[in-house]
Amino acid sequence: MSSTTYLITGANRGLGRGLLEALIQRPNTTVIAGVRDPSNESSKSLESLKTASGSKVITVKIDYNSLSTVNEAIQELQSKHNITSLDFVIANAGISNCYATAEATPLDQIREHYEINAVATVALYQATIALLKKSPKPVFVGMSSAIASIGDMEKVPAITTAYGMSKAALNYLVRKIHFENPELVAFAISPGWVQTDMGTFGAKSHGMEDAPVTLEQSVEGMLKKFDGATREKTSGTFQSYDEATFAW
């Protein structure tokens, strides 16, 4: 029976964990959890989660504050865990720590968001592309946000300058990957404004009690998009967990 291998960064919490927990309920599925600190309780708990028959979780250290860990993790997967290909790479890990207008956003916040949300995604892509190309149907997904849309910016009036700029850069990268790799499916996706720690903090920063989208709604919608992704209809596009569409 065929198996599917996913690599998800930021997999010990929020959207990453939600995707991981859903995917391991599928048989013959390997989910590689990239986590910043494997010794953290939230990371250690991943490998004790119940899985479907033939499925498993592999935890590796991927710390975007130390980009050497990205290549080290891929080397470990090959030498220690006999991972010879990757079917899906989901660039999920990211930060949203600054809520301010362009006028008031500190430059160090812009740099930090670019390093984590954009530059580190380039590092992840460069480290995994060789294993992706060994898959019969490789998929690279960049976790984006409606806030990153330049064409529809007026529809999402959020005070997230640093975050939006960095995710717009991620969008460019994913579309560039699409054009450079005709054998690959590459797309950006907005998970919605989700009730995770990050999403709730952002909601409260905008005077809301909570984010409007549940984790379950987001994960269910994104997995449908992942499962149905094709080169012809999906690759090179800016998707959403639901039927919303966003301009680049």
Side-chain angles (χ1 to χ4, degrees):
M1 183 177 293
S2 62
S3 60
T4 307
T5 301
Y6 296 78
L7 187 155
I8 305 173
T9 57
N12 62 313
R13 56 186 295 183
L15 289 169
R17 190 181 184 105
L19 287 168
L20 179 146
E21 290 184 351
L23 286 168
I24 59 175
Q25 300 311 308
R26 299 178 176 185
N28 302 304
T29 300
T30 296
V31 180
I32 299 159
V35 300
R36 185 170 58 183
D37 181 6
S39 66
N40 186 280
E41 286 302 319
S42 63
S43 300
K44 291 194 291 185
S45 67
L46 295 176
E47 295 189 14
S48 62
L49 294 172
K50 291 184 179 180
T51 66
S53 174
S55 296
K56 63 181 177 179
V57 176
I58 299 172
T59 303
V60 292
K61 180 174 182 175
I62 296 180
D63 182 356
Y64 281 172
N65 290 302
S66 178
L67 291 184
S68 63
T69 61
V70 180
N71 284 318
E72 290 165 2
I74 300 307
Q75 292 170 5
E76 178 184 336
L77 289 172
Q78 294 177 91
S79 62
K80 182 178 177 180
H81 300 284
N82 197 33
I83 298 296
T84 58
S85 66
L86 294 170
D87 300 301
F88 284 79
V89 172
I90 302 170
N92 167 71
I95 61 169
S96 180
N97 296 335
C98 179
Y99 295 88
T101 63
E103 179 182 4
T105 301
L107 296 183
D108 61 344
Q109 285 289 339
I110 292 175
R111 294 188 186 97
E112 181 180 15
H113 281 72
Y114 258 84
E115 286 291 331
I116 300 298
N117 295 343
V119 176
T121 305
V122 179
L124 180 69
Y125 164 68
Q126 292 177 346
T128 59
I129 185 60
L131 290 179
L132 276 168
K133 287 183 175 181
K134 293 181 180 179
S135 167
K137 295 180 179 180
V139 180
F140 186 93
V141 180
M143 194 68 73
S144 188
S145 168
I147 293 168
S149 173
I150 296 173
D152 287 332
M153 188 180 293
E154 71 279 6
K155 298 177 183 179
V156 191
I159 51 171
T160 52
T161 304
Y163 179 73
M165 289 173 66
S166 66
K167 288 295 187 178
L170 177 144
N171 283 358
Y172 178 93
L173 169 67
V174 173
R175 190 157 163 80
K176 188 68 170 173
I177 291 170
H178 159 75
F179 286 114
E180 291 182 347
N181 297 276
E183 75 281 19
L184 182 72
V185 174
F187 62 97
I189 191 166
S190 168
W193 198 340
V194 188
Q195 294 170 8
T196 60
D197 289 345
M198 181 187 294
T200 298
F201 179 74
K204 292 184 183 298
S205 298
H206 285 80
M208 303 163 59
E209 288 192 9
D210 207 344
V213 181
T214 68
L215 181 60
E216 292 75 19
Q217 289 171 327
S218 178
V219 167
E220 180 180 1
M222 286 195 291
L223 288 180
K224 286 181 180 179
K225 294 296 177 75
F226 296 171
D227 294 342
T230 66
R231 175 74 187 181
E232 295 72 26
K233 293 184 178 181
T234 314
S235 195
T237 67
F238 190 178
Q239 295 284 316
S240 174
Y241 81 100
D242 57 10
E243 296 311 309
T245 58
F246 300 109
W248 289 109

